Amino acid sequence: MTQLNSLDFDPNKLTLTWADGSSSQFHAVWLRDNVLEEDARHKNGQRLFDWSELPRDFSMKSAEVDGDTIKINFNAEDRQSSYPIEWLKTYAYDNQAPEKSYEIWGKDLDLSLIYHDYKEVKKGGQAMCDWLKSVRKYGFGIIQNVPQEEGTVLNILNSFGFVRETNYGKLFEVRTEENPNNLAFTPLGLNVHTDNPYRDPVPGLQALHCLESNNDGGESVFVDGYNVAELLRQEEPIYFDLLSSYHANFRFCDGKADLKNRATVIGVDNFGHFTHILYNNRSAAPLNLPANVMEDYYIALLAYSDMLHREEVEVLFKLKQGELVLFDNERVLHGRKGFAGGKRHLQGSYADKDSLNSWINIWEAKQ
Amino acid sequence: MTQLNSLDFDPNKLTLTWADGSSSQFHAVWLRDNVLEEDARHKNGQRLFDWSELPRDFSMKSAEVDGDTIKINFNAEDRQSSYPIEWLKTYAYDNQAPEKSYEIWGKDLDLSLIYHDYKEVKKGGQAMCDWLKSVRKYGFGIIQNVPQEEGTVLNILNSFGFVRETNYGKLFEVRTEENPNNLAFTPLGLNVHTDNPYRDPVPGLQALHCLESNNDGGESVFVDGYNVAELLRQEEPIYFDLLSSYHANFRFCDGKADLKNRATVIGVDNFGHFTHILYNNRSAAPLNLPANVMEDYYIALLAYSDMLHREEVEVLFKLKQGELVLFDNERVLHGRKGFAGGKRHLQGSYADKDSLNSWINIWEAKQ
């Protein structure tokens, strides 16, 4: 039970002081917008009124504690609204940035947090939740002992969400091809990158399932783009501002598809939390920026690029036969060392992050 | 043929003056980044080097016109690079914001620009292109004389792109239900809104196919959210900054899915061009903003909300049996008047904008 020490009333805001001595402000307009009564909320939880229908005087006539709730009368309307104190505590916004869903990492990341077992995950219970949460928190999670059967990557994505079909199909094959339309399908090493920044929207999740790997080399390199963006913010705040303010161009054209997108390399919200990283030298199209910004922007981009290649930010591992990695494609950059000889065959597919988070939310609400 | 009047050389930038007297700057770093030679570009067009691999001295030793190209020697590397003058003109960035892909509209929109005919569109040629371009330019396009067969909406989306499957399925039915999990499935009027701001990513395109409509009322109301955002920017620039800077919360929870997203209501790039509008009173979740911003943010939100309901920004039409409307769900707000009696049955589905633009790009390149 949330304990309330005191309620300080002002017609335009309440100040609630909690048992631990901290306090939260709730403005009258916020309270009116969030009334919980049946005339304002459909039983499915959706708000029934539009903001344009609200009165323009939100001031409160009175507010009083009544058991576990606070009851409020507004001046402009003949309505009394009741708010559970617990609910107010949950949604308190004063000085509270929302909790970050992610934790940044560098080369010292404990990989035991990342590995999960197929037999457990496929049961769809806590092990599934743990796998998905490692993707939400660290940006990636690996399942071991996955059957080496083609198409399994689709079944696994469909177990919590929906496959994003693209011009590459529902899944794409990563193996050496004779006439590749993409460098991924050559044996060349690949610098760390995020996939498909040229799409609108960019795929939020990518899964890669290793069906065969008996070559030398070809190790995976993973880098937390949020970690490196944080380094840039600390070391070069002006560069950080450039990469998070100006939109870069991305493009992929193979004659059958001509995909273009414009977006910032670093996405950040008003609390300074990261929302995306898009970095792909291969599909970067000519920049179109104000001429007086161009040189500084390049200095910033080169600085970020150099930081992405610092040894301290890289995690290296070999994706073995029967392993599947699911990762946040708008956060974690992936690359690979070059390889020669032997066979290497992965199947990949894209999906979106909302389903992943929804799965976790629904599972945790049931526990 | 692009005509060049003069080339002004500086080791760090070229200034090209065109036949019309205008001039463009090209910085050395931009030129080096965009070299077009085979060692730098795979034949599929992808850049072969990473920015981290570039030298840090980009300065030029020389630049000279050679026929239709300009040849440049750089100081740090033993390379000569050649740029078609036509190509430089195309990608000139000095003082040039990229062309807007959209045109804003209010109630005087000429609806003849929006209507297209199924028989022509399904041939997949210029009529298809025209329909998709009306979606890109105005945010929506209607096809008439579509067969009133269930599932047709999926075939039409698949003719240029890929259906976005969600927890509502590949398609969703819009008709009155007994226990609706969403207000769309009641006969209530719906204020103008964009769909599913609670998804990450938000569906960029929505298609609604009218299979049956013999009720009174139920007219569609469409509003160009970009137009209203422009009004807000002109009339209340401080409000505009608030709605384009602070992230709002959106949520949908029906016990089977619990979808959450945080994003700005108005998205704008560094050129001031709009990138998205997310507005949905029904699925807005309690705002979490710094306390000293909360009241001003609400004033801004209410102002935008009021503007969205100005008669001058609304287009009204009745979606008839056999009509399908495809619209940009991150730009055009849609609503409907309430209806009573009769039957109304729509099938809807979501897709993404990149495929739509790709289809247009590929078609136009072939002409």
Side-chain angles (χ1 to χ4, degrees):
Chain A
M1 178 68 65
T2 301
Q3 282 198 317
L4 186 65
N5 262 7
S6 67
L7 179 162
D8 183 53
F9 178 79
D10 170 296
N12 293 311
K13 73 178 177 202
L14 301 185
T15 305
L16 304 187
T17 303
W18 311 105
D20 66 2
S22 69
S23 65
S24 303
Q25 295 174 48
F26 296 90
H27 294 88
V29 61
W30 186 94
L31 290 161
R32 176 60 186 88
D33 186 34
N34 288 299
V35 296
L36 300 167
E37 279 72 37
E38 277 184 9
D39 68 321
R41 293 267 175 187
H42 198 265
K43 59 188 172 187
N44 65 19
Q46 291 186 299
R47 186 191 276 100
L48 284 165
F49 58 87
D50 186 75
W51 294 296
S52 61
E53 295 158 2
L54 289 177
R56 287 305 183 268
D57 171 12
F58 300 101
S59 65
M60 299 175 282
K61 203 183 291 176
S62 66
E64 56 180 11
V65 178
D66 180 10
D68 299 336
T69 67
I70 291 178
K71 291 201 188 312
I72 293 174
N73 287 286
F74 292 92
N75 279 317
E77 299 165 287
D78 184 25
R79 69 177 301 135
Q80 187 181 63
S81 291
S82 179
Y83 305 82
I85 291 169
E86 193 83 34
W87 185 90
L88 289 168
K89 178 78 173 156
T90 300
Y91 288 100
Y93 50 87
D94 190 14
N95 303 318
Q96 286 201 169
E99 204 182 331
K100 272 191 202 124
S101 58
Y102 59 85
E103 193 172 297
I104 61 177
W105 49 264
K107 72 168 184 178
D108 296 328
L109 174 67
D110 175 4
L111 280 176
S112 72
L113 298 164
I114 301 302
Y115 280 96
H116 304 266
D117 185 70
Y118 180 72
K119 269 187 216 140
E120 294 304 312
V121 168
K122 79 168 179 180
K123 291 178 189 162
Q126 189 59 46
M128 176 84 159
C129 187
D130 291 342
W131 172 53
L132 298 177
K133 284 178 82 170
S134 73
V135 178
R136 180 161 78 179
K137 190 166 183 179
Y138 303 108
F140 70 116
I142 295 172
I143 315 180
Q144 299 179 298
N145 307 312
V146 177
Q148 288 161 244
E149 286 165 28
E150 300 207 0
T152 300
V153 65
L154 299 178
N155 300 336
I156 290 179
L157 288 179
N158 284 328
S159 69
F160 69 87
F162 304 96
V163 166
R164 169 98 73 95
E165 190 174 357
T166 73
N167 56 307
Y168 300 145
K170 285 187 177 166
L171 60 71
F172 50 89
E173 311 282 346
V174 184
R175 58 183 160 196
T176 307
E177 292 181 2
E178 281 197 20
N179 290 305
N181 73 337
N182 195 300
L183 294 185
F185 311 144
T186 70
L188 298 172
L190 293 173
N191 271 287
V192 291
H193 62 279
T194 61
D195 265 26
N196 296 16
Y198 44 77
R199 291 192 196 283
D200 172 20
V202 175
L205 292 176
Q206 179 172 177
L208 288 172
H209 177 207
C210 184
L211 290 161
E212 194 170 11
S213 172
N214 59 15
N215 54 292
D216 287 331
E219 289 90 0
S220 295
V221 185
F222 271 39
V223 170
D224 183 359
Y226 289 178
N227 179 39
V228 182
E230 189 59 56
L231 285 175
L232 187 72
R233 176 155 58 187
Q234 300 302 323
E235 295 181 22
E236 303 285 359
I238 293 169
Y239 298 171
F240 180 87
D241 288 345
L242 286 164
L243 296 189
S244 58
S245 304
Y246 288 92
H247 287 230
N249 294 334
F250 301 98
R251 183 177 184 189
F252 174 83
C253 182
D254 69 354
K256 291 177 196 159
D258 185 0
L259 298 154
K260 297 177 186 179
N261 190 26
R262 282 177 58 75
T264 57
V265 168
I266 298 174
V268 68
D269 73 12
N270 58 284
F271 289 109
H273 296 183
F274 298 117
T275 56
H276 73 249
I277 300 292
L278 303 180
Y279 181 95
N280 191 312
N281 64 295
R282 284 175 290 149
S283 49
L287 290 168
N288 180 341
L289 300 173
N292 62 350
V293 169
M294 189 63 85
E295 287 186 301
D296 288 340
Y297 186 90
Y298 265 111
I299 293 170
L301 188 60
L302 290 161
Y304 188 58
S305 179
D306 285 343
M307 287 180 176
L308 286 171
H309 289 81
R310 286 185 187 173
E311 189 260 342
E312 75 200 56
V313 304
E314 291 181 344
V315 162
L316 270 86
F317 61 93
K318 179 130 182 171
L319 194 68
K320 300 192 188 83
Q321 291 187 168
E323 289 185 342
L324 179 146
V325 59
L326 177 67
F327 58 97
D328 183 337
N329 182 57
E330 295 178 298
R331 170 184 176 185
V332 171
L333 295 89
H334 64 292
R336 67 155 190 250
K337 306 289 183 188
F339 58 92
K343 284 191 176 177
R344 186 170 183 272
H345 180 201
L346 310 181
Q347 284 190 324
S349 185
Y350 299 116
D352 293 314
K353 272 181 285 197
D354 53 358
S355 297
L356 181 144
N357 288 313
S358 175
W359 201 100
I360 297 170
N361 296 339
I362 293 289
W363 173 261
E364 293 194 330
K366 277 192 216 150
Q367 304 314 305
Chain B
M1 178 69 64
T2 301
Q3 282 198 317
L4 186 65
N5 262 6
S6 66
L7 180 161
D8 184 55
F9 178 77
D10 170 298
N12 293 311
K13 74 179 176 200
L14 300 185
T15 305
L16 303 188
T17 303
W18 311 106
D20 66 2
S22 68
S23 65
S24 303
Q25 295 173 48
F26 296 90
H27 294 87
V29 61
W30 186 95
L31 290 162
R32 175 60 186 89
D33 186 33
N34 289 298
V35 295
L36 300 167
E37 279 72 36
E38 276 185 10
D39 67 322
R41 294 270 175 184
H42 197 266
K43 59 189 172 187
N44 65 19
Q46 292 186 298
R47 185 190 276 100
L48 285 165
F49 59 87
D50 186 75
W51 293 298
S52 61
E53 296 159 0
L54 289 178
R56 287 308 182 265
D57 172 12
F58 300 100
S59 64
M60 298 176 284
K61 204 183 293 178
S62 65
E64 55 181 10
V65 178
D66 180 10
D68 298 336
T69 66
I70 292 179
K71 293 201 187 312
I72 293 175
N73 287 287
F74 293 91
N75 279 318
E77 299 164 287
D78 183 26
R79 69 176 301 135
Q80 187 182 63
S81 292
S82 179
Y83 305 83
I85 291 169
E86 195 83 34
W87 186 91
L88 288 169
K89 179 78 172 156
T90 300
Y91 288 102
Y93 50 87
D94 190 14
N95 303 318
Q96 285 201 170
E99 204 182 334
K100 271 190 201 128
S101 57
Y102 59 85
E103 191 172 299
I104 62 177
W105 50 264
K107 72 169 182 177
D108 296 327
L109 174 66
D110 176 3
L111 280 176
S112 72
L113 298 166
I114 302 301
Y115 281 96
H116 304 266
D117 184 69
Y118 179 71
K119 268 186 217 141
E120 295 303 313
V121 169
K122 80 168 177 181
K123 292 178 189 162
Q126 189 59 45
M128 176 83 159
C129 186
D130 291 342
W131 172 53
L132 298 178
K133 283 178 84 170
S134 74
V135 179
R136 179 162 79 178
K137 189 165 183 180
Y138 303 107
F140 70 117
I142 295 173
I143 315 181
Q144 299 180 298
N145 307 313
V146 177
Q148 288 161 244
E149 285 164 28
E150 300 207 0
T152 300
V153 65
L154 299 180
N155 300 337
I156 290 179
L157 288 179
N158 285 329
S159 69
F160 67 88
F162 303 96
V163 166
R164 170 97 73 95
E165 190 175 356
T166 73
N167 55 306
Y168 300 145
K170 284 186 179 168
L171 62 71
F172 51 89
E173 311 282 346
V174 184
R175 58 183 159 199
T176 307
E177 292 181 2
E178 282 198 17
N179 291 304
N181 74 336
N182 195 300
L183 294 184
F185 312 144
T186 71
L188 298 171
L190 293 174
N191 272 287
V192 291
H193 61 279
T194 60
D195 264 26
N196 296 15
Y198 43 76
R199 291 192 197 280
D200 173 19
V202 174
L205 292 175
Q206 179 170 176
L208 289 171
H209 177 207
C210 185
L211 290 162
E212 194 169 12
S213 172
N214 58 16
N215 54 291
D216 287 332
E219 289 90 359
S220 295
V221 185
F222 272 39
V223 171
D224 183 359
Y226 289 177
N227 179 37
V228 183
E230 190 58 55
L231 285 174
L232 187 72
R233 175 155 58 187
Q234 300 301 324
E235 295 181 22
E236 302 286 358
I238 292 167
Y239 299 170
F240 180 86
D241 287 345
L242 286 164
L243 296 189
S244 57
S245 303
Y246 288 91
H247 286 230
N249 294 333
F250 301 98
R251 184 178 182 189
F252 174 82
C253 182
D254 69 354
K256 290 177 196 159
D258 186 359
L259 298 153
K260 297 177 187 179
N261 190 25
R262 284 176 58 72
T264 57
V265 168
I266 299 173
V268 68
D269 73 11
N270 57 285
F271 289 109
H273 296 184
F274 299 116
T275 56
H276 73 250
I277 299 292
L278 303 180
Y279 181 94
N280 192 312
N281 64 295
R282 287 175 289 148
S283 49
L287 290 169
N288 180 340
L289 301 173
N292 62 350
V293 168
M294 189 62 84
E295 286 186 302
D296 289 340
Y297 186 90
Y298 265 110
I299 293 171
L301 187 60
L302 290 160
Y304 188 58
S305 178
D306 286 344
M307 287 179 176
L308 286 171
H309 289 81
R310 287 185 186 172
E311 189 259 342
E312 77 200 53
V313 305
E314 291 181 345
V315 163
L316 270 85
F317 60 94
K318 181 133 179 169
L319 194 69
K320 300 193 189 82
Q321 294 186 169
E323 290 184 343
L324 179 145
V325 59
L326 177 67
F327 58 97
D328 182 337
N329 181 57
E330 295 178 297
R331 170 184 176 184
V332 172
L333 295 88
H334 64 292
R336 66 154 189 250
K337 306 288 180 189
F339 57 93
K343 285 191 176 176
R344 186 170 184 273
H345 181 202
L346 309 182
Q347 286 190 322
S349 185
Y350 300 116
D352 294 313
K353 271 179 287 197
D354 53 359
S355 296
L356 181 145
N357 288 315
S358 175
W359 201 100
I360 297 170
N361 296 338
I362 292 290
W363 173 261
E364 294 195 329
K366 276 192 217 149
Q367 303 315 305

